[in-house]
Amino acid sequence: MTTDSALDADRTASDFDDDFEPFDTEGAPELPAERYLDRELSWLAFNKRVLELAEDSTIPVLERANFLAIFASNLDEFFMVRVAGLKRRIITGLAVPSNVGRSPVDVLSDISKQAHELQIRHAAVYQDLVMPALAEAGIRVVTWEGLGTEARDHLRDYFSSQIFPVLMPLAVDPAHPFPYISGLSLNLSVRVRNSRTGRQEFARVKVPQMLPRFVRVEPSESIEDARYVTLEDLIANHLGDLFPGMEILEHHVFRVTRNEDVEIEEDETENLIKALEKELLRRRFGPPIRLEVTDDMDEVTLGLLVRELDVTEQEVYRLPAPLDLGGLFDLSRLDRPELHYPTHVPVTAAQLQPSDSNLRADIFKAVSRRDVLLHHPYESFATSVQAFLEQAAADPDVLAIKQTLYRTSGDSPIVEALIDAAESGKQVLALVEIKARFDEQANITWARKLEKAGVHVVYGLVGLKTHCKLALVIRQEKGTLRHYSHIGTGNYNPKTSRIYEDFGLLTADDQVGKDLTRLFNELSGYAIEKKFKRLLVAPLHLRKGLLKLIAGEVANAKAGKPAGIRIKVNSMVDEAIIDALYRASNAGVEVEVWVRGICSLRPGIEGLSENITVRSILGRYLEHSRIFSVVNDGDPQTYIGSADMMHRNLDRRVEALVRLTDPGHILEVNANFDRAMDDRTSSWHLDGDGTWNRNAFDESGHPLEDLQSSLMLEFAQRSSRTGQRR
């Protein structure tokens, strides 16, 4: 660490040591009541932006299919969590108003209207835009009716040998009650007539989820010109094999979405893992909240499903076949490079490149010289963060490793490094967040594997999710202990690190190491540490710290000094932060917000937010980094970390932001922000009424700059220049 940056750290030592009221609102004009956008509708607007990528003919067609699948998967999770939560509040009588003051009943009505419109549009994009483009590229999704005799014979053999044995038709009659329909499963409703008695019966056939959703018609067909049928279409045309002697009257496809959110009263359970496993089992039987049916379903069958599943008319979605376009993930993975984004190989960060290409870099030596700012996926996670932890595990001078794990991959080299470190006698602490939504079971599995290897596994603080991304290595060097730290904006997941955009800081700064030591002690034991020197930590003082920074910009603007605020987050919902930004705008502070998903802030409204600009960038990579930067009278302060501007992040999670002190790192982060906010960069612009307008082409119809593609090229060129110099 340089002398300048050491002094800089000292100047921040008391920045957040006091309690304060950051804004004196006495005498200030009252903010209007209707100053927020509805968070649920804003989320739907985000998913609409994903759908617009699927509509874009300039994007490779298999990537467009992937965006259709992402839209479907996103919407499933939205219903399982957000819609389920609203419905639960209504049923339990805890009808808390939304962030804009509306009742859950009214919000559900608005969601239903927009979700219906979006799902119809989603189906149309597949049928009218993506499917023809796929066919033009030699990927043809066909129906059974359009197949010839030879193709049908082949598929009949495939059905008999690979599909028929795993099907389980379930009858519904007085002796067979209506079967349980698992959440997100695809099902065939079948009405049959007994040829002897003439009586009509109902049955359900579940489409096996472990089989390919799109079945290749002829394996001998070239991958460049191949036909596919959906699995449910293939099953539907062999129902006679499942119901021999019965006349098939009707068959339709349907799908149920259930409440799959998890609730645990941590204060009332001694063993969090067992409680969570029990709750995960209960999740499978949550109440239905959405019923999707093909638009050709007859009223008799629909009436039976509505009655047995106990759903309302509002919760029924009639859609063109095929349902569950999340199945397009299978097609989008086809090995057709020309129909995908060009291959991108992340480069090794310049400071971490070895002096000899045949050697491995010494991460500790590089970081001890100077902080390293990482930008994934442009820079490799494997040769930086993963290599840092693997080197720590193998280094005999390393005494201890402490790390948080929120989400990680199923074959995680990070977990293996922690196991190797523990087995070699090092002290290893892993704080595993087993309540990470939809990754709970995987995290339980890893927690137990770590425990068996001798890792000290803890599950954080009661009532809080540990969402911060932290790793701390204690190394003995010449008789003294030195801290090596990593603080990131993304998870320790080698797989998502290739598709999520994130920043990370590798540092040997002693103050950061001491802060992390105290924070880990708080998370694993009973220490109560409210104040840190280089970190802002939620839930104790992150919001307060940010509000104080915003208040400082207001004071600077009123004094005629340089002022400005920049925030990049996944979601902007917290009312206190938004109100502070409104007041900053009214004081003349330029506020720029770069948000991927939800934004409840209304920009560009006279007298409220005319100095606030909001942009969103979606594309090949999922923009995931969180940045908070202020001009601070020409001495910019820039933080990166894990926190979004949401109640759950600021009040119910352990989050951490770290201040960057290297001037070059601050310039790099802000230069990236400059380009994101530039009108020559492809992005979406938010209006005050909640409308997102895509700005992707110039007046001549030429595509605007794709920020992610430009960064890929620049990092590759930078790496090449570094390699040549070496």
Side-chain angles (χ1 to χ4, degrees):
M1 187 173 181
T2 65
T3 302
D4 287 344
S5 59
L7 292 173
D8 218 15
D10 287 340
R11 285 201 297 271
T12 69
S14 60
D15 281 356
F16 305 103
D17 282 355
D18 56 314
D19 293 327
F20 55 84
E21 290 295 334
F23 283 99
D24 180 8
T25 58
E26 186 175 348
E30 191 170 331
L31 296 173
E34 297 181 354
R35 60 188 183 274
Y36 310 123
L37 296 170
D38 184 280
R39 59 159 292 160
E40 315 300 350
L41 300 185
S42 181
W43 186 94
L44 288 172
F46 152 67
N47 214 26
K48 180 182 176 184
R49 299 198 292 281
V50 175
L51 186 56
E52 288 174 2
L53 292 174
E55 294 172 331
D56 189 342
S57 61
T58 67
I59 293 175
V61 67
L62 286 181
E63 303 296 346
R64 294 170 68 189
N66 191 55
F67 283 123
L68 283 176
I70 291 171
F71 173 95
S73 177
N74 284 348
L75 198 61
D76 286 345
E77 183 171 334
F78 177 72
F79 270 90
M80 289 188 293
V81 178
R82 298 301 309 174
V83 174
L86 287 168
K87 187 173 179 181
R88 186 172 60 244
R89 289 180 204 165
I90 294 170
I91 293 171
T92 59
L94 301 174
V96 180
S98 70
N99 70 311
V100 295
R102 304 196 70 212
S103 72
V105 173
D106 292 334
V107 174
L108 274 180
S109 178
D110 290 342
I111 289 173
S112 176
K113 181 176 182 295
Q114 292 201 21
H116 274 88
E117 292 173 357
L118 282 174
Q119 287 206 250
I120 292 293
R121 178 172 170 179
H122 181 231
V125 172
Y126 170 71
Q127 296 285 353
D128 302 336
L129 299 179
V130 174
M131 195 159 73
L134 286 170
E136 190 175 329
I139 302 169
R140 290 170 290 152
V141 181
V142 298
T143 62
W144 179 265
E145 287 73 17
L147 296 175
T149 303
E150 186 176 340
R152 288 188 178 188
D153 288 344
H154 166 73
L155 286 175
R156 240 181 231 110
D157 291 340
Y158 176 81
F159 174 84
S160 298
S161 62
Q162 302 296 321
I163 301 174
F164 179 78
V166 299
L167 295 179
M168 298 180 185
L170 299 174
V172 177
D173 57 34
H176 301 86
F178 192 84
Y180 175 77
I181 310 296
S182 54
L184 302 186
S185 64
L186 208 56
N187 302 272
L188 285 169
S189 64
V190 185
R191 278 202 299 128
V192 298
R193 179 187 288 124
N194 189 311
S195 56
R196 289 180 297 176
T197 65
R199 179 172 175 166
Q200 293 189 21
E201 307 285 1
F202 175 85
R204 169 257 191 159
V205 179
K206 181 177 179 178
V207 178
Q209 293 172 296
M210 74 291 295
L211 297 179
R213 177 70 188 285
F214 291 89
V215 179
R216 186 93 162 261
V217 172
E218 290 277 7
S220 60
E221 292 176 340
S222 164
I223 193 172
E224 284 77 24
D225 187 19
R227 294 172 297 169
Y228 299 85
V229 295
T230 63
L231 181 57
E232 63 268 27
D233 189 19
L234 184 53
I235 294 171
N237 282 279
H238 290 83
L239 291 174
D241 294 357
L242 292 168
F243 304 98
M246 307 291 280
E247 179 186 358
I248 309 297
L249 300 177
E250 297 271 359
H251 61 80
H252 306 283
V253 181
F254 71 97
R255 184 171 181 260
V256 175
T257 309
R258 294 182 176 275
N259 177 355
E260 298 207 12
D261 203 8
V262 168
E263 290 187 57
I264 296 177
E265 294 296 332
E266 293 181 62
D267 294 334
E268 298 176 6
T269 179
E270 293 183 4
N271 191 320
L272 189 56
I273 282 190
K274 289 182 179 178
L276 186 55
E277 287 179 320
K278 184 177 179 180
E279 184 65 16
L280 290 174
L281 183 63
R282 185 208 62 78
R283 171 191 275 179
R284 295 175 49 211
F285 300 96
I289 51 175
R290 179 178 57 164
L291 171 62
E292 296 169 280
V293 302
T294 49
D295 53 12
D296 61 352
M297 180 174 283
D298 64 286
E299 292 301 321
V300 173
T301 302
L302 179 58
L304 174 67
L305 292 176
V306 167
R307 183 172 64 255
E308 293 290 345
L309 293 169
D310 191 23
V311 295
T312 66
E313 182 179 341
Q314 188 183 75
E315 293 167 333
V316 176
Y317 289 72
R318 281 184 173 269
L319 301 166
L323 300 183
D324 185 20
L325 291 178
L328 288 170
F329 280 127
D330 286 351
L331 277 187
S332 70
R333 298 186 186 104
L334 285 174
D335 187 17
R336 296 284 303 277
E338 74 280 14
L339 304 181
H340 289 283
Y341 286 124
T343 300
H344 168 230
V345 179
V347 301
T348 297
Q351 289 173 249
L352 302 182
Q353 291 186 9
S355 56
D356 187 320
S357 59
N358 295 319
L359 300 175
R360 294 186 66 177
D362 185 333
I363 306 293
F364 295 127
K365 187 175 181 180
V367 175
S368 67
R369 287 195 295 261
R370 182 185 175 190
D371 288 358
V372 179
L373 181 68
L374 303 166
H375 198 181
H376 311 300
Y378 313 109
E379 292 177 306
S380 170
F381 180 89
T383 59
S384 57
V385 180
Q386 181 180 325
F388 166 61
L389 291 165
E390 288 175 339
Q391 183 176 338
D395 189 336
D397 292 328
V398 168
L399 305 181
I401 302 173
K402 304 178 182 183
Q403 185 172 1
T404 60
L405 289 174
Y406 189 72
R407 300 186 197 274
T408 189
S409 58
D411 52 351
S412 173
I414 301 296
V415 172
E416 294 302 326
L418 296 179
I419 290 172
D420 290 344
E423 290 178 343
S424 66
K426 295 175 171 58
Q427 286 280 94
V428 181
L429 172 72
L431 199 147
V432 179
E433 181 47 77
I434 58 172
K435 301 188 296 295
R437 182 176 286 147
F438 301 121
D439 277 341
E440 298 96 343
Q441 192 59 57
N443 286 5
I444 288 173
T445 300
W446 281 116
R448 288 186 164 147
K449 184 174 181 180
L450 287 164
E451 285 177 326
K452 288 179 181 178
V455 174
H456 301 290
V457 177
V458 295
Y459 307 111
L461 302 175
V462 170
L464 299 175
K465 278 188 180 180
T466 304
H467 189 248
C468 47
K469 326 299 182 183
L470 312 172
L472 175 64
V473 173
I474 310 298
R475 189 169 188 258
Q476 191 168 49
E477 297 180 3
K478 298 179 180 179
T480 62
L481 297 184
R482 194 164 190 191
H483 304 84
Y484 290 88
S485 309
H486 175 263
I487 300 175
T489 68
N491 298 309
Y492 291 102
N493 189 322
K495 292 184 178 178
T496 59
S497 71
R498 295 194 286 268
I499 55 175
Y500 282 26
E501 178 275 340
D502 276 301
F503 279 103
L505 179 70
L506 281 169
T507 179
D509 181 271
D510 191 54
Q511 187 58 67
V512 174
K514 289 178 179 177
D515 279 355
L516 288 188
T517 298
R518 293 200 301 272
L519 180 53
F520 273 109
N521 287 344
E522 181 177 347
L523 295 173
S524 65
Y526 292 106
I528 299 175
E529 178 58 57
K530 293 186 177 181
K531 298 166 186 176
F532 301 90
K533 304 297 185 182
R534 282 278 304 278
L535 303 181
L536 286 175
V537 179
L540 293 175
H541 61 270
L542 177 51
R543 182 191 281 107
K544 285 184 178 181
L546 295 181
L547 290 175
K548 187 173 184 181
L549 288 170
I550 296 171
E553 297 308 289
V554 171
N556 286 336
K558 289 179 177 178
K561 299 176 181 178
I565 299 168
R566 285 178 156 179
I567 301 176
K568 179 176 188 283
V569 285
N570 293 293
S571 300
M572 171 66 73
V573 176
D574 187 76
E575 290 87 355
I577 297 293
I578 291 174
D579 284 355
L581 295 178
Y582 286 149
R583 293 190 176 97
S585 173
N586 287 334
V589 179
E590 182 181 0
V591 179
E592 295 175 314
V593 178
W594 177 0
V595 62
R596 174 171 59 89
I598 304 169
C599 184
S600 294
L601 183 154
R602 301 177 64 192
I605 296 177
E606 187 176 353
L608 177 69
S609 57
E610 59 262 47
N611 292 312
I612 301 179
T613 304
V614 179
R615 298 284 187 265
S616 182
I617 292 177
L618 278 71
R620 174 174 185 165
Y621 301 125
L622 185 145
E623 293 287 334
H624 193 250
S625 62
R626 290 87 164 186
I627 301 166
F628 194 100
S629 183
V630 293
V631 171
N632 192 41
D633 189 21
D635 179 22
Q637 295 189 39
T638 300
Y639 291 80
I640 63 170
S642 59
D644 283 312
M645 298 298 102
M646 301 180 73
H647 300 162
R648 71 184 187 191
N649 298 88
L650 301 178
D651 297 322
R652 301 190 299 277
R653 290 185 174 185
V654 179
E655 306 276 12
L657 300 181
V658 63
R659 184 185 173 199
L660 303 179
T661 56
D662 187 306
H665 296 165
I666 295 170
L667 283 173
E668 181 175 344
V669 169
N670 279 287
N672 192 44
F673 216 114
D674 286 339
R675 293 170 65 174
M677 304 304 291
D678 195 311
D679 285 341
R680 293 168 295 181
T681 297
S682 180
S683 64
W684 280 262
H685 299 185
L686 178 62
D687 289 341
D689 64 357
T691 302
W692 289 91
N693 299 298
R694 193 177 185 203
N695 181 46
F697 302 92
D698 63 19
E699 294 178 354
S700 303
H702 298 116
L704 297 176
E705 180 185 14
D706 183 305
L707 177 62
Q708 296 178 348
S709 295
S710 296
L711 287 173
M712 275 194 302
L713 180 62
E714 290 170 17
F715 273 90
Q717 292 172 341
R718 186 189 307 177
S719 177
S720 177
R721 290 194 298 269
T722 302
Q724 290 172 0
R725 287 198 299 271
R726 291 183 186 279

